[in-house]
Amino acid sequence: PLTWQIKGRPWQRPAKGNNAMPTRGICQSSIDHRHNKSLGPGVADRPPLEAAAEYAALGLAVLPLCGPRHGCRHPGKVPVDLRTDRHLEGWQTRGVPTPEEVETWLSLPLGRRANLGCVMGRASGVVGVDVDGPEGEEGLRELSGGHLPDTWEYQTRPGRRRLIYALPEGVRIPSTRPRPKLEILSDGAQAVLPPSLHPLGHRYTWVPGRDPWTFGPPAPAPGSCRPWATAPKRCRRRPRGGGRW
């Protein structure tokens, strides 16, 4: 078996053909998407938060997001307090949730309608590259020279994708927008995860073979990723209050 680390903690990938979910005492589940209803077939009938424990078992700092029909300016994409229906403060420093926390989320009425996100950067040991359509793809080719390692990848919208890389130990990659329609998601940013529902009606979905349970560890962030993150990220106005779900 291959052993790798997220946030400095070991995680073991089973040998080929073994469907046992690798764990670190957080939860157990199937690694095969044919048997993983929260992330594979049948996902349309399951709340996105039901996948939270599986992501947490990988060491990812997942958290609930407002639902796709929330009345805020960015429905389906903002961390939320499921008890108050208000956007969550201080989410940037949240850690990996416990199984009890995930159960509490799912027991709350709003938890059945919430999306699922992940705190990026040092909180989870991963960074994201958000590629928004043809213009983003062109910027990605320019900056990388067309040389990017395979890694975790999922579709955010038709024609738009997100790449997830491991954050090398001791390396800080800030969040930034190095090109139009291209964004680095790291410290201070969060990413909506599959199987969340987009406000336009489609699901965030893993590219076949590129999900964590099939692919294994994400590739380390390429060296070219560090020079990309040189400009400060443009600040966004923090949403206020809550909205109707």
Side-chain angles (χ1 to χ4, degrees), residues 114-158:
N115 271 349
L116 178 64
C118 176
V119 184
M120 305 300 283
R122 287 170 288 184
S124 294
V126 295
V127 295
V129 180
D130 202 35
V131 189
D132 192 354
E135 190 174 2
E137 294 289 353
E138 180 61 29
L140 183 63
R141 284 192 293 269
E142 290 177 1
L143 292 169
S144 67
H147 304 292
L148 285 174
D150 289 344
T151 191
W152 297 354
E153 180 181 343
Y154 59 92
Q155 185 181 63
T156 57
R157 288 178 59 183

mmCIF file of all heavy atoms in Angstrom, residues 114-158:
data_model
loop_
_atom_site.group_PDB
_atom_site.id
_atom_site.type_symbol
_atom_site.label_atom_id
_atom_site.label_comp_id
_atom_site.label_asym_id
_atom_site.label_seq_id
_atom_site.Cartn_x
_atom_site.Cartn_y
_atom_site.Cartn_z
ATOM 1 N N ALA A 114 -28.068 22.089 2.828
ATOM 2 C CA ALA A 114 -26.798 22.801 2.735
ATOM 3 C C ALA A 114 -25.864 22.163 1.706
ATOM 4 O O ALA A 114 -25.964 20.977 1.405
ATOM 5 C CB ALA A 114 -26.117 22.824 4.102
ATOM 6 N N ASN A 115 -24.959 22.977 1.191
ATOM 7 C CA ASN A 115 -23.862 22.483 0.367
ATOM 8 C C ASN A 115 -22.665 22.168 1.246
ATOM 9 O O ASN A 115 -22.672 22.411 2.455
ATOM 10 C CB ASN A 115 -23.492 23.511 -0.711
ATOM 11 C CG ASN A 115 -24.292 23.318 -1.986
ATOM 12 O OD1 ASN A 115 -24.973 22.314 -2.158
ATOM 13 N ND2 ASN A 115 -24.214 24.284 -2.890
ATOM 14 N N LEU A 116 -21.607 21.667 0.620
ATOM 15 C CA LEU A 116 -20.411 21.243 1.351
ATOM 16 C C LEU A 116 -19.186 21.954 0.800
ATOM 17 O O LEU A 116 -18.969 21.994 -0.410
ATOM 18 C CB LEU A 116 -20.233 19.732 1.215
ATOM 19 C CG LEU A 116 -19.004 19.107 1.875
ATOM 20 C CD1 LEU A 116 -19.071 19.272 3.393
ATOM 21 C CD2 LEU A 116 -18.911 17.629 1.509
ATOM 22 N N GLY A 117 -18.385 22.532 1.696
ATOM 23 C CA GLY A 117 -17.168 23.220 1.277
ATOM 24 C C GLY A 117 -15.961 22.735 2.048
ATOM 25 O O GLY A 117 -16.076 21.941 2.986
ATOM 26 N N CYS A 118 -14.792 23.204 1.650
ATOM 27 C CA CYS A 118 -13.530 22.826 2.283
ATOM 28 C C CYS A 118 -12.671 24.068 2.458
ATOM 29 O O CYS A 118 -12.465 24.833 1.499
ATOM 30 C CB CYS A 118 -12.799 21.801 1.418
ATOM 31 S SG CYS A 118 -11.157 21.329 2.026
ATOM 32 N N VAL A 119 -12.161 24.276 3.669
ATOM 33 C CA VAL A 119 -11.225 25.371 3.925
ATOM 34 C C VAL A 119 -9.895 25.013 3.273
ATOM 35 O O VAL A 119 -9.325 23.947 3.538
ATOM 36 C CB VAL A 119 -11.032 25.601 5.437
ATOM 37 C CG1 VAL A 119 -10.124 26.800 5.679
ATOM 38 C CG2 VAL A 119 -12.377 25.813 6.121
ATOM 39 N N MET A 120 -9.396 25.884 2.419
ATOM 40 C CA MET A 120 -8.202 25.576 1.655
ATOM 41 C C MET A 120 -6.931 26.062 2.364
ATOM 42 O O MET A 120 -6.981 26.719 3.393
ATOM 43 C CB MET A 120 -8.300 26.206 0.265
ATOM 44 C CG MET A 120 -9.555 25.814 -0.499
ATOM 45 S SD MET A 120 -9.689 24.033 -0.761
ATOM 46 C CE MET A 120 -8.516 23.839 -2.104
ATOM 47 N N GLY A 121 -5.792 25.732 1.781
ATOM 48 C CA GLY A 121 -4.514 26.153 2.345
ATOM 49 C C GLY A 121 -4.065 25.279 3.492
ATOM 50 O O GLY A 121 -4.317 24.070 3.524
ATOM 51 N N ARG A 122 -3.442 25.899 4.469
ATOM 52 C CA ARG A 122 -2.846 25.137 5.567
ATOM 53 C C ARG A 122 -3.872 24.406 6.418
ATOM 54 O O ARG A 122 -3.552 23.400 7.053
ATOM 55 C CB ARG A 122 -2.000 26.076 6.426
ATOM 56 C CG ARG A 122 -0.698 26.507 5.757
ATOM 57 C CD ARG A 122 0.016 27.605 6.507
ATOM 58 N NE ARG A 122 -0.692 28.879 6.357
ATOM 59 C CZ ARG A 122 -0.244 30.041 6.851
ATOM 60 N NH1 ARG A 122 0.886 30.068 7.533
ATOM 61 N NH2 ARG A 122 -0.913 31.150 6.664
ATOM 62 N N ALA A 123 -5.101 24.885 6.449
ATOM 63 C CA ALA A 123 -6.139 24.226 7.252
ATOM 64 C C ALA A 123 -6.382 22.794 6.804
ATOM 65 O O ALA A 123 -6.654 21.913 7.619
ATOM 66 C CB ALA A 123 -7.444 25.016 7.182
ATOM 67 N N SER A 124 -6.283 22.542 5.496
ATOM 68 C CA SER A 124 -6.521 21.206 4.948
ATOM 69 C C SER A 124 -5.310 20.606 4.274
ATOM 70 O O SER A 124 -5.324 19.431 3.886
ATOM 71 C CB SER A 124 -7.674 21.256 3.931
ATOM 72 O OG SER A 124 -8.895 21.581 4.548
ATOM 73 N N GLY A 125 -4.252 21.394 4.096
ATOM 74 C CA GLY A 125 -3.049 20.884 3.432
ATOM 75 C C GLY A 125 -3.189 20.776 1.931
ATOM 76 O O GLY A 125 -2.441 20.036 1.290
ATOM 77 N N VAL A 126 -4.139 21.510 1.339
ATOM 78 C CA VAL A 126 -4.338 21.471 -0.108
ATOM 79 C C VAL A 126 -4.581 22.879 -0.635
ATOM 80 O O VAL A 126 -5.005 23.780 0.101
ATOM 81 C CB VAL A 126 -5.520 20.563 -0.517
ATOM 82 C CG1 VAL A 126 -5.239 19.108 -0.168
ATOM 83 C CG2 VAL A 126 -6.821 21.038 0.123
ATOM 84 N N VAL A 127 -4.310 23.067 -1.932
ATOM 85 C CA VAL A 127 -4.632 24.311 -2.622
ATOM 86 C C VAL A 127 -5.422 23.964 -3.882
ATOM 87 O O VAL A 127 -5.275 22.871 -4.431
ATOM 88 C CB VAL A 127 -3.375 25.116 -3.004
ATOM 89 C CG1 VAL A 127 -2.641 25.589 -1.764
ATOM 90 C CG2 VAL A 127 -2.450 24.295 -3.884
ATOM 91 N N GLY A 128 -6.266 24.890 -4.317
ATOM 92 C CA GLY A 128 -7.062 24.666 -5.505
ATOM 93 C C GLY A 128 -6.678 25.626 -6.620
ATOM 94 O O GLY A 128 -6.199 26.737 -6.364
ATOM 95 N N VAL A 129 -6.879 25.176 -7.843
ATOM 96 C CA VAL A 129 -6.719 26.023 -9.023
ATOM 97 C C VAL A 129 -8.062 26.035 -9.733
ATOM 98 O O VAL A 129 -8.497 25.014 -10.267
ATOM 99 C CB VAL A 129 -5.609 25.518 -9.959
ATOM 100 C CG1 VAL A 129 -5.474 26.433 -11.170
ATOM 101 C CG2 VAL A 129 -4.276 25.423 -9.215
ATOM 102 N N ASP A 130 -8.734 27.170 -9.706
ATOM 103 C CA ASP A 130 -10.064 27.301 -10.273
ATOM 104 C C ASP A 130 -9.950 27.835 -11.703
ATOM 105 O O ASP A 130 -9.470 28.955 -11.911
ATOM 106 C CB ASP A 130 -10.887 28.255 -9.411
ATOM 107 C CG ASP A 130 -12.373 28.061 -9.579
ATOM 108 O OD1 ASP A 130 -12.794 26.910 -9.765
ATOM 109 O OD2 ASP A 130 -13.109 29.062 -9.523
ATOM 110 N N VAL A 131 -10.370 27.028 -12.671
ATOM 111 C CA VAL A 131 -10.226 27.364 -14.088
ATOM 112 C C VAL A 131 -11.621 27.619 -14.649
ATOM 113 O O VAL A 131 -12.428 26.696 -14.768
ATOM 114 C CB VAL A 131 -9.530 26.231 -14.864
ATOM 115 C CG1 VAL A 131 -9.190 26.699 -16.275
ATOM 116 C CG2 VAL A 131 -8.266 25.776 -14.140
ATOM 117 N N ASP A 132 -11.876 28.871 -15.006
ATOM 118 C CA ASP A 132 -13.213 29.307 -15.386
ATOM 119 C C ASP A 132 -13.321 29.499 -16.894
ATOM 120 O O ASP A 132 -13.112 30.595 -17.425
ATOM 121 C CB ASP A 132 -13.547 30.607 -14.650
ATOM 122 C CG ASP A 132 -15.010 30.985 -14.759
ATOM 123 O OD1 ASP A 132 -15.741 30.314 -15.500
ATOM 124 O OD2 ASP A 132 -15.419 31.964 -14.098
ATOM 125 N N GLY A 133 -13.602 28.434 -17.610
ATOM 126 C CA GLY A 133 -13.864 28.520 -19.039
ATOM 127 C C GLY A 133 -12.620 28.682 -19.900
ATOM 128 O O GLY A 133 -11.483 28.590 -19.423
ATOM 129 N N PRO A 134 -12.799 28.957 -21.195
ATOM 130 C CA PRO A 134 -11.672 29.041 -22.143
ATOM 131 C C PRO A 134 -10.631 30.081 -21.756
ATOM 132 O O PRO A 134 -9.432 29.847 -21.922
ATOM 133 C CB PRO A 134 -12.356 29.401 -23.462
ATOM 134 C CG PRO A 134 -13.751 28.882 -23.321
ATOM 135 C CD PRO A 134 -14.104 29.066 -21.879
ATOM 136 N N GLU A 135 -11.069 31.226 -21.233
ATOM 137 C CA GLU A 135 -10.101 32.259 -20.851
ATOM 138 C C GLU A 135 -9.236 31.779 -19.693
ATOM 139 O O GLU A 135 -8.023 32.025 -19.665
ATOM 140 C CB GLU A 135 -10.835 33.545 -20.478
ATOM 141 C CG GLU A 135 -9.904 34.749 -20.307
ATOM 142 C CD GLU A 135 -10.662 36.046 -20.080
ATOM 143 O OE1 GLU A 135 -11.915 36.003 -20.015
ATOM 144 O OE2 GLU A 135 -10.011 37.096 -19.974
ATOM 145 N N GLY A 136 -9.839 31.084 -18.746
ATOM 146 C CA GLY A 136 -9.058 30.529 -17.649
ATOM 147 C C GLY A 136 -8.111 29.451 -18.115
ATOM 148 O O GLY A 136 -6.974 29.349 -17.628
ATOM 149 N N GLU A 137 -8.556 28.611 -19.054
ATOM 150 C CA GLU A 137 -7.688 27.556 -19.598
ATOM 151 C C GLU A 137 -6.471 28.157 -20.301
ATOM 152 O O GLU A 137 -5.360 27.652 -20.180
ATOM 153 C CB GLU A 137 -8.478 26.672 -20.561
ATOM 154 C CG GLU A 137 -9.587 25.863 -19.932
ATOM 155 C CD GLU A 137 -9.102 24.713 -19.061
ATOM 156 O OE1 GLU A 137 -7.867 24.456 -19.036
ATOM 157 O OE2 GLU A 137 -9.945 24.075 -18.413
ATOM 158 N N GLU A 138 -6.692 29.242 -21.040
ATOM 159 C CA GLU A 138 -5.586 29.891 -21.734
ATOM 160 C C GLU A 138 -4.584 30.465 -20.739
ATOM 161 O O GLU A 138 -3.369 30.327 -20.899
ATOM 162 C CB GLU A 138 -6.121 31.002 -22.637
ATOM 163 C CG GLU A 138 -5.048 31.755 -23.409
ATOM 164 C CD GLU A 138 -4.248 30.862 -24.346
ATOM 165 O OE1 GLU A 138 -4.803 29.847 -24.822
ATOM 166 O OE2 GLU A 138 -3.067 31.178 -24.594
ATOM 167 N N GLY A 139 -5.088 31.094 -19.673
ATOM 168 C CA GLY A 139 -4.194 31.616 -18.647
ATOM 169 C C GLY A 139 -3.417 30.518 -17.957
ATOM 170 O O GLY A 139 -2.236 30.676 -17.640
ATOM 171 N N LEU A 140 -4.068 29.374 -17.727
ATOM 172 C CA LEU A 140 -3.400 28.241 -17.099
ATOM 173 C C LEU A 140 -2.277 27.712 -17.980
ATOM 174 O O LEU A 140 -1.181 27.399 -17.499
ATOM 175 C CB LEU A 140 -4.416 27.142 -16.807
ATOM 176 C CG LEU A 140 -3.916 25.895 -16.083
ATOM 177 C CD1 LEU A 140 -3.401 26.252 -14.702
ATOM 178 C CD2 LEU A 140 -5.026 24.852 -15.996
ATOM 179 N N ARG A 141 -2.525 27.630 -19.282
ATOM 180 C CA ARG A 141 -1.475 27.172 -20.207
ATOM 181 C C ARG A 141 -0.299 28.139 -20.228
ATOM 182 O O ARG A 141 0.869 27.723 -20.262
ATOM 183 C CB ARG A 141 -2.057 27.005 -21.613
ATOM 184 C CG ARG A 141 -2.906 25.760 -21.803
ATOM 185 C CD ARG A 141 -3.214 25.507 -23.258
ATOM 186 N NE ARG A 141 -4.072 26.548 -23.806
ATOM 187 C CZ ARG A 141 -5.396 26.493 -23.810
ATOM 188 N NH1 ARG A 141 -6.012 25.448 -23.281
ATOM 189 N NH2 ARG A 141 -6.115 27.473 -24.330
ATOM 190 N N GLU A 142 -0.583 29.421 -20.200
ATOM 191 C CA GLU A 142 0.486 30.422 -20.228
ATOM 192 C C GLU A 142 1.366 30.316 -18.987
ATOM 193 O O GLU A 142 2.599 30.376 -19.073
ATOM 194 C CB GLU A 142 -0.108 31.819 -20.311
ATOM 195 C CG GLU A 142 -0.770 32.156 -21.634
ATOM 196 C CD GLU A 142 -1.391 33.530 -21.607
ATOM 197 O OE1 GLU A 142 -1.287 34.209 -20.555
ATOM 198 O OE2 GLU A 142 -1.994 33.931 -22.619
ATOM 199 N N LEU A 143 0.759 30.172 -17.842
ATOM 200 C CA LEU A 143 1.508 30.170 -16.592
ATOM 201 C C LEU A 143 2.232 28.857 -16.329
ATOM 202 O O LEU A 143 3.297 28.840 -15.723
ATOM 203 C CB LEU A 143 0.562 30.478 -15.434
ATOM 204 C CG LEU A 143 0.009 31.905 -15.424
ATOM 205 C CD1 LEU A 143 -1.098 32.037 -14.414
ATOM 206 C CD2 LEU A 143 1.121 32.902 -15.104
ATOM 207 N N SER A 144 1.647 27.758 -16.769
ATOM 208 C CA SER A 144 2.243 26.447 -16.486
ATOM 209 C C SER A 144 3.113 25.941 -17.614
ATOM 210 O O SER A 144 3.837 24.948 -17.437
ATOM 211 C CB SER A 144 1.139 25.422 -16.224
ATOM 212 O OG SER A 144 0.385 25.183 -17.403
ATOM 213 N N GLY A 145 3.047 26.591 -18.777
ATOM 214 C CA GLY A 145 3.762 26.076 -19.931
ATOM 215 C C GLY A 145 3.147 24.795 -20.458
ATOM 216 O O GLY A 145 3.783 24.071 -21.229
ATOM 217 N N GLY A 146 1.924 24.500 -20.020
ATOM 218 C CA GLY A 146 1.259 23.278 -20.464
ATOM 219 C C GLY A 146 1.690 22.036 -19.721
ATOM 220 O O GLY A 146 1.298 20.923 -20.083
ATOM 221 N N HIS A 147 2.492 22.202 -18.650
ATOM 222 C CA HIS A 147 3.008 21.049 -17.906
ATOM 223 C C HIS A 147 2.423 21.053 -16.495
ATOM 224 O O HIS A 147 2.909 21.757 -15.604
ATOM 225 C CB HIS A 147 4.533 21.083 -17.853
ATOM 226 C CG HIS A 147 5.181 21.147 -19.206
ATOM 227 N ND1 HIS A 147 5.129 20.104 -20.098
ATOM 228 C CD2 HIS A 147 5.873 22.138 -19.821
ATOM 229 C CE1 HIS A 147 5.774 20.427 -21.209
ATOM 230 N NE2 HIS A 147 6.225 21.665 -21.067
ATOM 231 N N LEU A 148 1.375 20.290 -16.311
ATOM 232 C CA LEU A 148 0.744 20.165 -15.002
ATOM 233 C C LEU A 148 0.557 18.684 -14.678
ATOM 234 O O LEU A 148 0.079 17.923 -15.516
ATOM 235 C CB LEU A 148 -0.624 20.854 -14.977
ATOM 236 C CG LEU A 148 -0.632 22.378 -14.918
ATOM 237 C CD1 LEU A 148 -2.061 22.888 -15.059
ATOM 238 C CD2 LEU A 148 -0.033 22.873 -13.612
ATOM 239 N N PRO A 149 0.907 18.261 -13.473
ATOM 240 C CA PRO A 149 0.708 16.845 -13.112
ATOM 241 C C PRO A 149 -0.759 16.534 -12.908
ATOM 242 O O PRO A 149 -1.552 17.394 -12.513
ATOM 243 C CB PRO A 149 1.489 16.722 -11.794
ATOM 244 C CG PRO A 149 1.461 18.101 -11.216
ATOM 245 C CD PRO A 149 1.526 19.041 -12.385
ATOM 246 N N ASP A 150 -1.131 15.297 -13.199
ATOM 247 C CA ASP A 150 -2.485 14.848 -12.897
ATOM 248 C C ASP A 150 -2.713 14.928 -11.393
ATOM 249 O O ASP A 150 -1.799 14.672 -10.589
ATOM 250 C CB ASP A 150 -2.695 13.413 -13.369
ATOM 251 C CG ASP A 150 -2.746 13.301 -14.882
ATOM 252 O OD1 ASP A 150 -2.932 14.337 -15.558
ATOM 253 O OD2 ASP A 150 -2.585 12.173 -15.391
ATOM 254 N N THR A 151 -3.924 15.246 -10.998
ATOM 255 C CA THR A 151 -4.248 15.380 -9.586
ATOM 256 C C THR A 151 -5.757 15.292 -9.424
ATOM 257 O O THR A 151 -6.475 14.954 -10.369
ATOM 258 C CB THR A 151 -3.701 16.716 -9.038
ATOM 259 O OG1 THR A 151 -3.795 16.719 -7.609
ATOM 260 C CG2 THR A 151 -4.434 17.913 -9.620
ATOM 261 N N TRP A 152 -6.269 15.570 -8.222
ATOM 262 C CA TRP A 152 -7.710 15.595 -8.028
ATOM 263 C C TRP A 152 -8.320 16.661 -8.930
ATOM 264 O O TRP A 152 -7.779 17.765 -9.065
ATOM 265 C CB TRP A 152 -8.054 15.938 -6.585
ATOM 266 C CG TRP A 152 -7.577 14.947 -5.571
ATOM 267 C CD1 TRP A 152 -6.979 13.743 -5.791
ATOM 268 C CD2 TRP A 152 -7.653 15.096 -4.147
ATOM 269 N NE1 TRP A 152 -6.684 13.127 -4.602
ATOM 270 C CE2 TRP A 152 -7.076 13.932 -3.580
ATOM 271 C CE3 TRP A 152 -8.140 16.082 -3.307
ATOM 272 C CZ2 TRP A 152 -6.993 13.752 -2.198
ATOM 273 C CZ3 TRP A 152 -8.055 15.914 -1.935
ATOM 274 C CH2 TRP A 152 -7.493 14.745 -1.385
ATOM 275 N N GLU A 153 -9.452 16.346 -9.525
ATOM 276 C CA GLU A 153 -10.090 17.305 -10.438
ATOM 277 C C GLU A 153 -11.592 17.074 -10.460
ATOM 278 O O GLU A 153 -12.054 15.943 -10.514
ATOM 279 C CB GLU A 153 -9.518 17.153 -11.848
ATOM 280 C CG GLU A 153 -10.135 18.106 -12.866
ATOM 281 C CD GLU A 153 -9.571 17.916 -14.260
ATOM 282 O OE1 GLU A 153 -8.496 17.296 -14.397
ATOM 283 O OE2 GLU A 153 -10.221 18.383 -15.228
ATOM 284 N N TYR A 154 -12.338 18.163 -10.415
ATOM 285 C CA TYR A 154 -13.787 18.041 -10.547
ATOM 286 C C TYR A 154 -14.354 19.208 -11.339
ATOM 287 O O TYR A 154 -13.725 20.259 -11.484
ATOM 288 C CB TYR A 154 -14.479 17.911 -9.186
ATOM 289 C CG TYR A 154 -14.293 19.036 -8.194
ATOM 290 C CD1 TYR A 154 -15.196 20.094 -8.123
ATOM 291 C CD2 TYR A 154 -13.243 19.017 -7.278
ATOM 292 C CE1 TYR A 154 -15.056 21.096 -7.184
ATOM 293 C CE2 TYR A 154 -13.095 20.012 -6.330
ATOM 294 C CZ TYR A 154 -13.999 21.059 -6.282
ATOM 295 O OH TYR A 154 -13.854 22.062 -5.349
ATOM 296 N N GLN A 155 -15.537 18.986 -11.871
ATOM 297 C CA GLN A 155 -16.222 19.988 -12.670
ATOM 298 C C GLN A 155 -17.088 20.846 -11.760
ATOM 299 O O GLN A 155 -17.874 20.338 -10.955
ATOM 300 C CB GLN A 155 -17.089 19.309 -13.733
ATOM 301 C CG GLN A 155 -17.750 20.279 -14.708
ATOM 302 C CD GLN A 155 -18.612 19.554 -15.708
ATOM 303 O OE1 GLN A 155 -19.603 18.908 -15.356
ATOM 304 N NE2 GLN A 155 -18.241 19.631 -16.984
ATOM 305 N N THR A 156 -16.954 22.167 -11.884
ATOM 306 C CA THR A 156 -17.768 23.082 -11.091
ATOM 307 C C THR A 156 -19.009 23.528 -11.853
ATOM 308 O O THR A 156 -20.064 23.735 -11.263
ATOM 309 C CB THR A 156 -16.950 24.317 -10.686
ATOM 310 O OG1 THR A 156 -16.439 24.965 -11.861
ATOM 311 C CG2 THR A 156 -15.768 23.908 -9.800
ATOM 312 N N ARG A 157 -18.846 23.713 -13.148
ATOM 313 C CA ARG A 157 -19.934 23.998 -14.074
ATOM 314 C C ARG A 157 -19.515 23.441 -15.420
ATOM 315 O O ARG A 157 -18.331 23.188 -15.635
ATOM 316 C CB ARG A 157 -20.184 25.510 -14.194
ATOM 317 C CG ARG A 157 -20.828 26.166 -12.994
ATOM 318 C CD ARG A 157 -20.988 27.660 -13.209
ATOM 319 N NE ARG A 157 -21.811 27.968 -14.381
ATOM 320 C CZ ARG A 157 -22.053 29.207 -14.808
ATOM 321 N NH1 ARG A 157 -21.540 30.244 -14.150
ATOM 322 N NH2 ARG A 157 -22.813 29.414 -15.873
ATOM 323 N N PRO A 158 -20.435 23.245 -16.333
ATOM 324 C CA PRO A 158 -20.028 22.783 -17.657
ATOM 325 C C PRO A 158 -18.958 23.708 -18.257
ATOM 326 O O PRO A 158 -19.138 24.915 -18.346
ATOM 327 C CB PRO A 158 -21.335 22.841 -18.457
ATOM 328 C CG PRO A 158 -22.397 22.625 -17.433
ATOM 329 C CD PRO A 158 -21.909 23.328 -16.201
#
